[in-house]
Amino acid sequence: MHSNLLRAALAQQGMTQGKLAELVGISPNSLSRKLNGKRQFTLGEMEAISRVLEMQNPAAFFFDRKSQIRNEREA
């Protein structure tokens, strides 16, 4: 996960981590742990964040290029 890209998207929207957590339906502490790589986002959380932040390419935020290539080869 590219937490710096996600944090940049938050800044562009003028949104705090606390507000994003509220809109996604998780605690601010949970969001912080996930942004810091200590926990993983669920698919539902990724979808909610993508919708709230109006992401055009959510995969770029949540998956590194290596996992994208691996998944494309497996499909």
Side-chain angles (χ1 to χ4, degrees):
M1 198 232 359
H2 298 282
S3 60
N4 289 338
L5 289 176
L6 193 49
R7 286 184 174 100
L10 278 170
Q12 279 186 324
Q13 296 283 335
M15 188 178 299
T16 65
Q17 287 184 23
K19 184 63 176 177
L20 178 62
E22 177 186 333
L23 293 171
V24 171
I26 61 177
S27 73
N29 286 337
S30 179
L31 179 62
S32 178
R33 285 191 299 271
K34 292 172 184 205
L35 286 173
N36 289 319
K38 295 179 181 177
R39 299 275 188 258
Q40 292 184 345
F41 286 101
T42 67
L43 180 58
E45 291 165 350
M46 288 186 270
E47 289 173 339
I49 290 168
S50 299
R51 187 176 52 257
V52 168
L53 295 180
E54 301 174 354
M55 295 177 173
Q56 298 299 315
N57 183 15
F61 290 81
F62 294 105
F63 303 104
D64 63 26
R65 184 69 183 137
K66 288 180 185 177
S67 66
Q68 287 177 3
I69 291 170
R70 184 172 49 248
N71 288 337
E72 289 170 2
R73 288 181 182 159
E74 292 172 359

